[in-house]
Amino acid sequence: MTESHTDLPLLRVQALGRRFDSLWAVREASFELHPGEVLAIVGESGSGKSTLLHLLAGQLAPSEGQVHYRCAEGDWVDVHALNEARLRRLARTEWGFVEQDATRGLRMGVSAGANIGERLMGLGVRHYGSLREQAAQWMGRVELDTTRLDDLPREFSGGMRQRLQIARNLVTRPRLVLMDEPTSGLDVSVQARLLDLIRLLVGRLHLAAVIVTHDLGVARLLAHRTLVMRGGRVVEHGLTDRVLDDPQHAYTQLLVSSVVAP
């Protein structure tokens, strides 16, 4: 039976690995991601999860393996075979990347509104009034004061910068969003509302997301599937409820028990 276009994955990762000198930070990672699906990558610090995310984004070159992405036109591309200009174009239009440190994901020398509007300009939006209107709408969605549209990110708190970075990435309705600890620096109530917003957008816009997190609660709330890493390798991978409620690998059992232990 022939696969329909809508059944095709958005991302195919095959035996992906990255070595730094003699140490493998990621080794033999393989999975697929479909449109509208959220994958959580969990594990302790140093497990390789952030390195894997940067490999997916083409920000690091692999030592082995491949990452294939299905573009909006339907063509498959090898992410690490793309020239720099093509990779930048994808990053500005079809992808989003939310950094753990918001200062790395924002332009600190331009206003909050300009940070959001810049992504829209990459899609060809040029009308000044429309850019400001959409930037203000997205500031409101991530619970930032819309009267601060012209303030610089350096004038915001760390949590506010993270919310601004999320707005900057989601304003263009990307097909694929990569997030490195997206709730870092946010209080619990804001975190919950932002995660609900991301989940809503995934459903309405049919975008896919890969989220690196140390918080199993984030994985449970948001992710359809969860991938558990230890020492650079994937030790368990499956539906989130199954992985967290009935973990098979000893390391996953340890992670889950450390959360539920009194």
Side-chain angles (χ1 to χ4, degrees):
M1 187 174 181
T2 304
E3 253 186 334
S4 72
H5 184 75
T6 55
D7 291 333
L8 289 172
L10 192 66
L11 200 67
R12 279 183 174 145
V13 180
Q14 299 170 302
L16 192 63
R18 170 70 188 212
R19 183 174 59 198
F20 295 96
D21 297 324
S22 60
L23 177 66
W24 285 93
V26 173
R27 191 74 192 269
E28 297 178 343
S30 297
F31 61 89
E32 292 185 346
L33 184 72
H34 286 77
E37 184 177 34
V38 180
L39 173 70
I41 303 176
V42 303
E44 63 191 349
S45 178
S47 62
K49 55 188 188 294
S50 289
T51 299
L52 176 55
L53 195 72
H54 287 274
L55 286 167
L56 300 182
Q59 296 173 2
L60 283 175
S63 303
E64 62 180 16
Q66 293 177 314
V67 178
H68 287 98
Y69 170 73
R70 183 168 57 82
C71 297
E73 297 82 8
D75 298 328
W76 284 96
V77 296
D78 181 342
V79 169
H80 296 100
L82 295 175
N83 61 42
E84 189 175 338
R86 181 77 188 280
L87 191 59
R88 277 201 310 268
R89 187 159 60 250
L90 278 177
R92 287 198 308 264
T93 56
E94 297 189 28
W95 297 352
F97 194 102
V98 176
E99 298 274 3
Q100 182 175 1
D101 179 0
T103 63
R104 297 182 58 190
L106 295 170
R107 292 186 60 197
M108 300 300 288
V110 302
S111 70
N115 265 282
I116 300 172
E118 184 178 55
R119 291 272 299 187
L120 291 169
M121 291 179 69
L123 294 181
V125 179
R126 292 291 183 268
H127 188 274
Y128 180 72
S130 178
L131 289 169
R132 284 186 66 85
E133 180 182 2
Q134 292 188 62
Q137 287 175 355
W138 272 91
M139 285 184 70
R141 286 189 182 187
V142 297
E143 300 185 337
L144 291 173
D145 184 351
T146 57
T147 65
R148 301 193 64 181
L149 193 68
D150 296 314
D151 288 359
L152 296 175
R154 68 170 64 99
E155 299 168 13
F156 291 175
S157 68
M160 293 168 67
R161 289 175 187 169
Q162 188 69 305
R163 283 176 265 166
L164 178 60
Q165 185 190 187
I166 290 171
R168 172 182 167 90
N169 277 274
L170 297 187
V171 67
T172 55
R173 274 71 169 179
R175 301 175 73 230
L176 173 64
V177 180
L178 307 175
M179 299 186 177
D180 192 357
E181 300 282 5
T183 57
S184 177
L186 304 180
D187 64 45
V188 173
S189 62
V190 173
Q191 169 181 308
R193 286 191 288 270
L194 277 176
L195 291 172
D196 283 342
L197 172 62
I198 294 168
R199 183 169 55 180
L200 179 66
L201 288 170
V202 166
R204 286 186 175 177
L205 305 176
H206 213 52
L207 60 86
V210 179
I211 298 182
V212 163
T213 180
H214 67 279
D215 187 339
L216 298 185
V218 170
R220 186 182 291 278
L221 176 67
L222 196 57
H224 301 95
R225 288 186 294 124
T226 293
L227 184 152
V228 183
M229 295 190 70
R230 185 187 189 191
R233 290 185 179 271
V234 176
V235 298
E236 191 157 357
H237 180 200
L239 294 175
T240 296
D241 287 345
R242 201 279 301 160
V243 170
L244 299 184
D245 292 338
D246 186 25
Q248 301 299 301
H249 193 277
Y251 176 68
T252 312
Q253 293 169 4
L254 181 63
L255 283 180
V256 172
S257 65
S258 69
V259 173
V260 301

